[in-house]
Amino acid sequence: MTRVTIQLDKDGFLVHLTDWNEVTAAELAAAQNIELTEAHWELIHLVRRFYSQFEVSPAMRPLVKQVREQLGEDKANSIYLMQLFPGSPAKLLAKIAGLPRPTNCL
Amino acid sequence: MIASPGGVAEWPKALVLKTSEGRPSESSNLSPSAISMQSSPPGVSYDCYRRIMMFCLNVHGDPASSQSVHSALQFAKATVASGHEIYRVFFYHDGVRIADCNQVPPQDESNLLQQWIEFAEEHSLELTVCIAAALKRGVLNEDERARYERVAANVYPAFSVVGLGQQIEAAISCDRTITFPG
Amino acid sequence: MTSLHLIFSAKGLRSCLGIIQPEDALLLIEDGVYAVLEDSATRLHAIEDDLVARGLQNLHADNVQRIDYSGMVELVARHQPIVSWH
Amino acid sequence: MRFLYLLRRPPYSGSLAAEAIDSILVAGVFDQRVSVLFKDDGVLQLLKDQQGQLLGHRSVNKMLAALPEYEIEELFVCARSLAERALSLDQLSLPVQVLDEVGQQTLIAAQNVVMND
């Protein structure tokens, strides 16, 4: 097994988005003291689909909208998202899912 | 007494000032008939009453290849001279290049950066550049230089590097938003 | 209120002419002042510095009212929205 | 407040179109009533099947497709600009309302703020 070094910027975002894979995601999450569960993964895959469809990292509101449509009403709220990705869920999700830093983070 | 043409109701933050003494707009060379007037209440001439307005400016053009940074400065100066206020100047697109302190204009051309800085200092003006547009064009303050481990910061300190939210917040907070496109 | 259209190019003027309302104001600025060579029907304002700098001070027709930047400030104060046409 | 973005540039003249869309999305996040008018070369931003990555760019039509996700659904296109380019609605990637000149007059007159690309 080869060791690879993955370049992160000072805020912990990937410098090269192509470095992302599920192992990388787990390490990026661990650096934030998050252990990835199924609930985390379905959100990670959701934002990666969002990015491949729209080529923008979702802000909070479109994130909640997508969660409502794809994962159901009971998960479509910021409390749920904050429990899994504390602080700023849209930004943290983008980081762990290997998306660019949201240009519209305020 | 407060009176205003055009209906104060449209202007939620209406502050109507009587400015017949030393009216700043006297410097204007507009004749009253030269511009389309709002209908005035009977017996009240528009020019008797003026309201101080808050403007925000979006400046999009590259200082080297468009006039917009120059025009925006002339407009900003006239705004302050007229008694109105500038809430924020937001440089976006190639306009962010004005903040680059490494510009060396030829001796026989005006130093636009210097003029903006002096004007902003004199009137406590908020000069902002969009962080995403600035990063892309190599215009970095010390925080961004450190974050991305680049060689040198080059944003003149009079400019703050801010998110796009500042552009929208300014437009929401102001009476008028004026864009100088590139 | 009525709109103020800031015209930054002759192309910008052509684009906006179709959708201006009679009470709207139009101001030629920067390279927009070259539109005085093309249009002599519409009532226009033009920034004097921009006309003079380009040698157009004697070439514009009666439909063009020359104003300075404080005149532009007055126009901005009296109209909303302000629409820029590059 | 009512914000109108007046988009008149083609999609790949540098980053201008993409940067304008970034600004639109932020206006959406601020809970403003945002509409977009595509006019002149701006209508070209809506063409289907773009592959911006060939130019090292994000695909502008894909970014525009995010607008409804930000609850920005008042999208208008200038009828004349479509006709001048012999484009029809089925060549566009998003549902838009076609506005004639009177419609555009009414739209602009209703705005507080008009932003540019």
Side-chain angles (χ1 to χ4, degrees):
Chain A
M1 196 172 148
T2 51
R3 276 184 74 83
V4 288
T5 309
I6 292 194
Q7 255 186 297
L8 302 180
D9 70 21
K10 285 272 195 283
D11 294 338
F13 283 84
L14 292 179
V15 172
H16 306 291
L17 298 182
T18 46
D19 286 342
W20 192 87
N21 57 41
E22 299 202 343
V23 177
T24 317
E27 285 178 14
L28 289 166
Q32 310 286 331
N33 298 317
I34 296 173
E35 192 180 335
L36 295 180
T37 63
E38 275 311 305
H40 293 95
W41 280 113
E42 67 179 2
L43 287 167
I44 291 170
H45 291 306
L46 178 140
V47 295
R48 286 188 63 84
R49 282 197 300 276
F50 188 98
Y51 183 77
S52 77
Q53 190 176 353
F54 302 120
E55 302 198 351
V56 293
S57 302
M60 194 60 184
R61 195 200 323 196
L63 174 60
V64 171
K65 185 167 185 271
Q66 284 286 317
V67 170
R68 178 174 298 116
E69 287 168 12
Q70 298 188 27
L71 308 178
E73 184 66 45
D74 53 327
K75 295 179 178 174
N77 60 75
S78 50
I79 296 168
Y80 176 76
L81 297 173
M82 298 263 276
Q83 281 167 353
L84 295 168
F85 297 95
S88 169
K91 198 172 166 186
L92 194 49
L93 252 172
K95 187 184 289 183
I96 294 171
L99 307 186
R101 173 188 277 101
T103 49
N104 47 331
C105 62
L106 306 177
Chain B
M1 190 193 91
I2 290 178
S4 166
V8 169
E10 284 184 44
W11 297 333
K13 292 179 294 177
L15 167 64
V16 183
L17 292 186
K18 188 175 181 187
T19 53
S20 53
E21 294 161 17
R23 187 155 43 94
S25 65
E26 277 169 2
S27 60
S28 165
N29 66 351
L30 272 182
S31 65
S33 60
I35 47 185
S36 59
M37 305 272 290
Q38 304 295 302
S39 59
S40 303
V44 178
S45 132
Y46 186 94
D47 286 342
C48 289
Y49 296 96
R50 266 178 107 252
R51 170 176 163 261
I52 293 180
M53 284 195 181
M54 198 69 90
F55 295 169
C56 64
L57 274 54
N58 290 311
V59 186
H60 293 180
D62 185 313
S65 60
S66 90
Q67 199 189 321
S68 71
V69 174
H70 172 88
S71 317
L73 177 63
Q74 307 313 314
F75 178 77
K77 286 181 171 174
T79 296
V80 171
S82 303
H84 297 300
E85 292 174 20
I86 304 277
Y87 182 81
R88 177 176 299 144
V89 185
F90 188 87
F91 294 92
Y92 195 36
H93 298 303
D94 292 339
V96 299
R97 294 193 199 275
I98 187 63
D100 184 346
C101 65
N102 284 332
Q103 295 168 72
V104 184
Q107 288 148 298
D108 52 0
E109 286 183 15
S110 63
N111 188 331
L112 267 175
L113 173 59
Q114 194 59 38
Q115 290 176 35
W116 267 110
I117 293 164
E118 285 169 10
F119 176 67
E121 275 173 10
E122 192 180 335
H123 298 283
S124 309
L125 218 61
E126 191 183 340
L127 302 180
T128 59
V129 296
C130 169
I131 185 166
L135 285 172
K136 189 182 307 191
R137 291 165 179 84
V139 176
L140 278 67
N141 65 5
E142 180 49 35
D143 284 352
E144 300 309 307
R145 187 211 64 75
R147 191 195 311 275
Y148 296 102
E149 299 173 310
R150 292 305 196 259
V151 183
N154 60 339
V155 167
Y156 196 94
F159 293 82
S160 16
V161 178
V162 301
L164 268 176
Q166 299 292 304
Q167 179 190 43
I168 306 302
E169 188 270 333
I172 294 168
S173 306
C174 284
D175 301 293
R176 298 288 184 273
T177 300
I178 303 102
T179 300
F180 294 83
Chain C
M1 290 189 70
T2 58
S3 310
L4 169 63
H5 300 273
L6 305 178
I7 315 288
F8 291 82
S9 71
K11 173 176 146 251
L13 180 63
R14 285 193 291 277
S15 182
C16 93
L17 274 180
I19 62 169
I20 51 170
Q21 314 242 35
E23 317 79 42
D24 288 355
L26 283 80
L27 172 61
L28 308 180
I29 179 170
E30 300 183 4
D31 283 341
V33 295
Y34 285 120
V36 299
L37 301 171
E38 297 181 19
D39 189 289
S40 59
T42 316
R43 199 169 57 91
L44 301 164
H45 305 277
I47 296 284
E48 173 143 42
D49 280 358
D50 284 323
L51 283 171
V52 174
R54 290 166 176 77
L56 298 171
Q57 58 270 42
N58 299 317
L59 292 175
H60 68 85
D62 294 341
N63 62 317
V64 178
Q65 165 93 28
R66 294 153 66 149
I67 64 171
D68 62 9
Y69 283 96
S70 63
M72 178 175 172
V73 171
E74 292 281 321
L75 285 173
V76 166
R78 291 177 190 201
H79 293 85
Q80 191 182 34
I82 315 300
V83 191
S84 293
W85 299 86
H86 52 70
Chain D
M1 269 202 169
R2 291 195 62 170
F3 277 67
L4 174 69
Y5 281 80
L6 175 58
L7 303 186
R8 295 175 50 235
R9 293 190 198 271
Y12 301 106
S13 55
S15 313
L16 296 179
E19 287 180 339
I21 298 167
D22 285 334
S23 170
I24 300 175
L25 297 180
V26 174
V29 171
F30 268 77
D31 261 335
Q32 303 302 301
R33 181 166 172 194
V34 180
S35 48
V36 185
L37 171 60
F38 297 89
K39 193 169 167 64
D40 301 323
D41 284 344
V43 301
L44 304 172
Q45 296 185 25
L46 288 162
L47 282 178
K48 283 179 180 168
D49 300 329
Q50 297 171 37
Q51 297 189 47
Q53 72 275 12
L54 293 174
L55 310 173
H57 276 283
R58 295 178 281 174
S59 291
V60 165
N61 62 328
K62 284 187 169 185
M63 296 179 71
L64 290 172
L67 294 176
E69 299 300 318
Y70 286 70
E71 281 157 41
I72 298 167
E73 315 205 43
E74 294 181 89
L75 309 179
F76 304 98
V77 59
C78 165
R80 177 195 290 267
S81 305
L82 280 184
E84 284 170 352
R85 290 159 184 79
L87 290 173
S88 58
L89 286 180
D90 59 3
Q91 292 168 288
L92 306 184
S93 59
L94 279 176
V96 289
Q97 296 179 53
V98 179
L99 285 185
D100 62 9
E101 295 182 335
V102 174
Q104 293 171 56
Q105 282 177 7
T106 311
L107 177 67
I108 288 177
Q111 304 302 320
N112 301 99
V113 176
V114 178
M115 307 282 269
N116 293 89
D117 54 2

